[in-house]
Amino acid sequence: MDAELKMCGIAGELRFDGNKSDLAITKRMCDAQIHRGPDDDGYYVQGPVSLGIRRLSIIDLTRGLYPLQNESGTVHLVFNGEIYGFHALRSELQERKHRFRSKTDAETLVHGYEEWGTKCLDRLNGMFAFALWDDREQLLWIARDHFGIKPLYYHQSKEMFTFASEIKPLLARPDVHARPNERVIQDYLYRARVDDTADTFFDGIKRLLPAHSLLIQPSGTIRLERYWTP
């Protein structure tokens, strides 16, 4: 199956202003990308964070419901893509006493994060974009695959951080506005340059670059990391 057809749509937010996350806004973002995941939807909301997904069901159609959780319910994941050769990683994690609730490839990421933290990216091979919330550490972690096959966009302000698989869901929010990024548009029109930086055609909306991750905390602290270099 073509990589562009094997897709789900993810979205969510983390508030910096002390307000609770509005699940209705995350649902609106997911509805704006229902074409990416017509089979199912799922949500997690707790305090300042909310996660949502529109799912295209491919593996474990009945038990692979999102957001996926760890055994204690402290780690929550929404995921778009595929992890190649995940059975070997699953077996290793089971030997380390992790209990799986589904047969999905994405659940190896949940338990891999429990075991190795963000370094679990070193063990992944595939095409993916995901968002993971660690309730104990109060940490939102988003990442994109090594070559950027799966898209992931985000917007940040003093009040919140929000992300989605496409730009359209971000613009579905009442607090994100469609304003042109004139510099990027000029680079495209004059030099035919596009997608070579984190900036997009929309001012204030960025793409997460391939092989990069973001660590975001409710305090507003954001750390960008590159986890792989060719």
Side-chain angles (χ1 to χ4, degrees):
M1 185 180 291
D2 185 89
E4 288 302 313
L5 296 179
K6 298 179 71 173
M7 61 186 183
C8 298
I10 64 174
E13 71 168 5
L14 178 61
R15 305 293 312 185
F16 301 149
D17 54 9
N19 291 329
K20 292 183 178 181
S21 179
D22 187 347
L23 182 58
I25 293 179
T26 298
K27 287 184 176 180
R28 185 187 306 175
M29 295 170 69
C30 288
D31 288 344
Q33 51 188 342
I34 193 171
H35 55 281
R36 299 185 67 91
D39 297 331
D40 188 27
D41 63 344
Y43 303 94
Y44 170 79
V45 59
Q46 183 66 42
V49 68
S50 61
L51 305 175
I53 184 170
R54 290 295 321 190
R55 186 187 182 213
L56 177 65
S57 302
I58 297 177
I59 301 176
D60 200 341
L61 307 187
T62 58
R63 289 178 295 173
L65 300 180
Y66 285 86
L68 293 173
Q69 300 180 359
N70 63 341
E71 301 93 327
S72 59
T74 57
V75 174
H76 306 268
L77 173 77
V78 288
F79 179 91
N80 170 34
E82 180 180 2
I83 297 175
Y84 305 145
F86 70 94
H87 295 96
L89 183 58
R90 179 189 176 101
S91 296
E92 181 179 357
L93 288 166
Q94 286 176 323
E95 290 176 358
R96 294 173 180 262
K97 309 305 180 182
H98 292 273
R99 300 190 307 274
F100 284 74
R101 299 179 180 179
S102 73
K103 298 180 180 178
T104 61
D105 52 341
E107 195 176 354
T108 58
L109 177 55
V110 173
H111 299 294
Y113 173 79
E114 283 188 291
E115 188 69 31
W116 301 296
T118 59
K119 291 297 183 181
C120 68
L121 282 173
D122 297 339
R123 295 172 172 264
L124 298 187
N125 179 26
M127 53 178 185
F128 53 81
F130 66 81
L132 182 148
W133 171 250
D134 184 334
D135 189 56
R136 289 178 177 173
E137 297 294 330
Q138 291 288 286
L139 178 68
L140 177 64
W141 181 40
I142 70 171
R144 194 174 175 201
D145 64 71
H146 304 69
F147 293 101
I149 299 173
K150 292 300 181 182
L152 195 57
Y153 298 89
Y154 66 92
H155 168 82
Q156 66 185 79
S157 66
K158 292 181 180 179
E159 292 77 26
M160 56 80 189
F161 175 94
T162 183
F163 66 90
S165 294
E166 298 181 3
I167 292 177
K168 183 179 178 181
L170 295 174
L171 297 178
R173 297 179 57 97
D175 47 9
V176 178
H177 306 287
R179 299 190 180 99
N181 187 325
E182 295 183 1
R183 181 186 59 78
V184 174
I185 294 172
Q186 288 174 357
D187 280 346
Y188 172 68
L189 293 176
Y190 291 130
R191 304 179 181 87
R193 295 178 60 182
V194 65
D195 292 351
D196 57 344
T197 71
D199 295 320
T200 69
F201 289 134
F202 295 88
D203 187 38
I205 296 179
K206 294 182 178 293
R207 66 174 54 82
L208 186 61
L209 293 176
H212 281 72
S213 70
L214 280 172
L215 297 164
I216 311 105
Q217 295 176 306
S219 63
T221 301
I222 299 177
R223 187 167 81 248
L224 177 67
E225 294 183 346
R226 181 167 189 164
Y227 65 86
W228 179 78
T229 301

